[in-house]
Amino acid sequence: MKPLNADLHCHSTVSDGLLTPDQLVRRALGNGVELLALTDHDELGGLAEARATADEIGLRFVDGVEVSISWGDDQTVHIVALGIDPTNAALMRGLHQVRSGRDSRAGLMAEELDKVGIHGAYEGALRHAGNPALVSRSHFARYIAEQGHAKDVKSVFDHWLAKGKPGYVEHAWATLEDALDWIDGAGGIAVIAHPGRYRLSKKELHGLFAAFKDLGGRGIEVLSGSHKDEEVREFSRIAREFGFLASRASDFHGPGESWIDLGKMPDLPEDLTPVWSQLV
Ligand code: AMP
Ligand code: MN
Ligand code: MN
Ligand code: MN
C-alpha cells in the first residue's frame, strides 16, 4: 500500500512562518499532502483558519502546537503536540505563559545586538512578527539579513543568534513535565521535534528520551526537514529501542527559508509505527 503523505509539523504567520494558515493548507494540498498538522510555536491561534480551509478543500487536518521547553543546562527542546483540543483551558493558559516571556527576551537580545553594531533590532524584529508575544529569533534573523549583516537567514543564525553568539540570550521556557501535562490534558500525543538539532551528547539525548517516555511522551520525529539520512537511521533505531511512534515532519516555515517544502520528505521505514495511526 502506498504510504500516506503526512506532514505533521509546519508554521504559519501566527508564529514565525511566512504563509497564512489558509495559504499553508492550500500549498500542502498542492504538494500532495494527505494529512497535515499546523504546529505554530506556543500558539493555537492559526488552527481555526487552517481547519476551515482544510475542510473546504478536502484535506485531513490535525490540530497541533510546538511547545518550547528548557532542558538540562539551558538547552531549548521543542515538543510537538498532535491531536490536541485547541479549546482546552489549561493548555491555553500554559502556552500563554510561555509566550509572555518572548517580549522581554527580545528586548535583551536587541540590547546585546546593539553592542555589536546591529541597531534597531527590537523594532525590526517586531515589524516582522507583528505581535510582541510571538517575536522569535526567526523575526530577528529576517531583520538582520534585510540590514545586510549576513547573506541569508541561515547565516544570521550562525553568526549572531545561535547559542554562544552575541544575540543569544538564555531563556526559561516551559518544563518538560508541564508541557507533557498540558498536552495529555488536552488529549494530544507528545512528540519530540527534530531530535537531530539539539546540541546534546549521545548520553544526554538518551536521558531526554528516557525522561520523556517516563513522563508519558509517545513519539519522535524520525523524519524532519533538517535530518540527514544518517540521523533518520539513528532516530529510527531510537524509535525501535524506546517503542516510540514515528512522525514525519517538514518543519516548513516558508518558501526559500526552509530545509524542505511541505510533504516532500521520504517515507518512514516500514517497520515503524506512524504516529498518525493513533490520530486518524
Ligand atoms: P526562538 O523560539 O525564538 O528561539 O526561535 C527558534 C526558531 O528559529 C526555530 O523555530 C527556527 O524557526 C529558527 N531557527 C533556529 N535555528 C535556526 C537555524 N540554524 N537556521 C535557521 N532557522 C533557525
Ligand atoms: Mn520556527
Ligand atoms: Mn522547532
Ligand atoms: Mn518547528
Side-chain angles (χ1 to χ4, degrees):
M1 210 173 70
K2 192 171 130 316
L4 189 76
N5 189 341
D7 188 343
L8 301 179
H9 184 158
C10 64
H11 297 273
S12 76
T13 46
V14 175
S15 62
D16 58 351
L18 294 170
L19 303 181
T20 64
D22 174 75
Q23 291 168 329
L24 198 65
V25 171
R26 291 179 193 278
R27 185 181 184 96
L29 186 76
N31 280 7
V33 172
E34 296 166 299
L35 180 70
L36 180 75
L38 173 63
T39 57
D40 277 312
H41 296 286
D42 312 306
E43 174 60 78
L44 306 167
L47 295 173
E49 177 182 320
R51 182 172 287 284
T53 301
D55 286 349
E56 181 199 324
I57 66 180
L59 176 60
R60 280 195 282 166
F61 183 75
V62 173
D63 289 304
V65 62
E66 182 174 16
V67 186
S68 312
I69 68 150
S70 295
W71 171 255
D73 178 22
D74 185 43
Q75 173 67 56
T76 298
V77 168
H78 287 167
I79 306 293
V80 161
L82 298 173
I84 37 126
D85 167 6
T87 66
N88 181 272
L91 176 66
M92 290 169 74
R93 231 181 1 255
L95 295 177
H96 183 268
Q97 181 197 319
V98 178
R99 289 196 302 275
S100 68
R102 281 194 177 268
D103 190 26
S104 55
R105 170 192 185 236
L108 295 173
M109 287 173 64
E111 278 178 29
E112 295 305 313
L113 289 166
D114 194 65
K115 291 181 195 161
V116 295
I118 297 176
H119 308 300
Y122 176 80
E123 295 73 19
L126 198 59
R127 190 157 39 73
H128 283 281
N131 174 350
L134 301 179
V135 67
S136 82
R137 283 185 293 159
S138 306
H139 302 113
F140 276 88
R142 286 171 198 151
Y143 171 72
I144 295 169
E146 183 183 285
Q147 293 296 301
H149 296 286
K151 69 175 192 310
D152 56 24
V153 162
K154 175 86 186 72
S155 40
V156 174
F157 275 90
D158 297 343
H159 289 100
W160 310 102
L161 297 178
K163 192 169 177 177
K165 301 297 173 183
Y168 181 85
V169 169
E170 284 195 14
H171 188 72
W173 302 105
T175 63
L176 179 63
E177 288 83 348
D178 282 348
L180 293 186
D181 273 355
W182 301 334
I183 296 167
D184 186 55
I189 296 178
V191 174
I192 297 183
H194 42 66
R197 296 241 319 263
Y198 306 124
R199 290 212 214 154
L200 294 170
S201 67
K202 255 202 156 126
K203 192 162 162 235
E204 289 167 330
L205 202 52
H206 217 266
L208 170 67
F209 296 141
F212 174 76
K213 184 165 169 113
D214 261 7
L215 293 166
R218 295 177 63 195
I220 58 169
E221 289 182 353
V222 168
L223 292 168
S224 162
S226 62
H227 282 173
K228 302 182 193 71
D229 292 352
E230 186 192 310
E231 290 166 325
V232 174
R233 279 193 295 277
E234 168 67 5
F235 297 117
S236 296
R237 209 182 53 66
I238 295 285
R240 291 177 195 113
E241 178 183 339
F242 284 85
F244 285 142
L245 299 166
S247 193
R248 184 171 184 268
S250 64
D251 203 359
F252 180 75
H253 283 69
E257 233 187 67
S258 286
W259 285 280
I260 201 166
D261 208 325
L262 293 164
K264 299 295 184 185
M265 302 72 73
D267 294 325
L268 283 173
E270 275 179 17
D271 65 306
L272 299 182
T273 309
V275 66
W276 56 90
S277 66
Q278 309 298 305
L279 287 169
V280 289

